[in-house]
Amino acid sequence: MALYEHTVMSRQDISAQQAEALNDTIKALIEEGGGTVAKIEYWGLRNLTYRVKKNRKAHYSLLAVDTPPAAMAEVERQLSINEDVLRWLTVRVEELDLELSPLLARRERERERERERGPRDDAPAAEAV
């Protein structure tokens, strides 16, 4: 079996739950073809650099996949039919990277910093007279 990183961009009109359901559909197609999905990352709704099919934003997802090439071809065929999918990119890799992507790792570091700071008190301190 071959190792792939598969990125999907879906329309901004769909909800986050529908984007997650699309990921589940892709996972089911891969498993039907005899492959496995090692990691699914939903990156959220992000701005596009330029319009793609009249959309300024898109839901991004990254999948790390170990599957036969025929199953990946079927996934791509199904995505080409789906009207909610704007673009996809499949890259064959030597090994799967199961760590958090740089995008999600940065978000996680920001959350940890917020937790360390504790609750913020935006109210001005009372002046002592």
Side-chain angles (χ1 to χ4, degrees):
M1 290 201 279
L3 305 174
Y4 299 96
E5 284 187 353
H6 183 71
T7 307
V8 180
M9 292 172 37
S10 54
R11 290 184 316 122
Q12 65 187 0
D13 301 346
I14 66 174
S15 67
Q17 291 80 16
Q18 289 172 312
E20 295 279 350
L22 178 63
N23 291 340
D24 294 338
T25 303
I26 294 170
K27 181 178 178 181
L29 285 169
I30 290 169
E31 290 174 350
E32 285 174 14
T36 58
V37 177
K39 171 178 81 168
I40 298 177
E41 289 184 0
Y42 173 67
W43 292 349
L45 187 65
R46 303 189 45 86
N47 291 326
L48 299 174
T49 306
Y50 54 90
R51 286 186 184 185
V52 177
K53 297 183 181 177
K54 300 182 181 178
N55 289 276
R56 292 182 183 270
K57 294 183 178 188
H59 293 274
Y60 280 79
S61 297
L62 173 73
L63 292 85
V65 178
D66 182 11
T67 189
M72 202 68 221
E74 176 61 20
V75 168
E76 290 179 346
R77 187 185 77 76
Q78 291 290 329
L79 291 177
S80 68
I81 296 171
N82 192 333
E83 293 179 358
D84 290 336
V85 176
L86 298 175
R87 298 269 196 279
W88 71 90
L89 176 68
T90 305
V91 179
R92 189 167 177 173
V93 295
E94 294 296 318
E95 64 183 57
L96 293 177
D97 183 15
L98 299 179
E99 296 178 12
L100 281 179
S101 65
L103 176 74
L104 292 183
R106 185 184 73 208
R107 285 184 189 168
E108 188 60 33
R109 283 193 306 268
E110 290 172 358
R111 286 187 190 127
E112 287 177 13
R113 278 190 225 129
E114 288 295 321
R115 280 189 229 123
E116 289 173 2
R117 288 185 199 151
R120 291 182 58 188
D121 186 21
D122 290 340
E127 293 183 25
V129 181

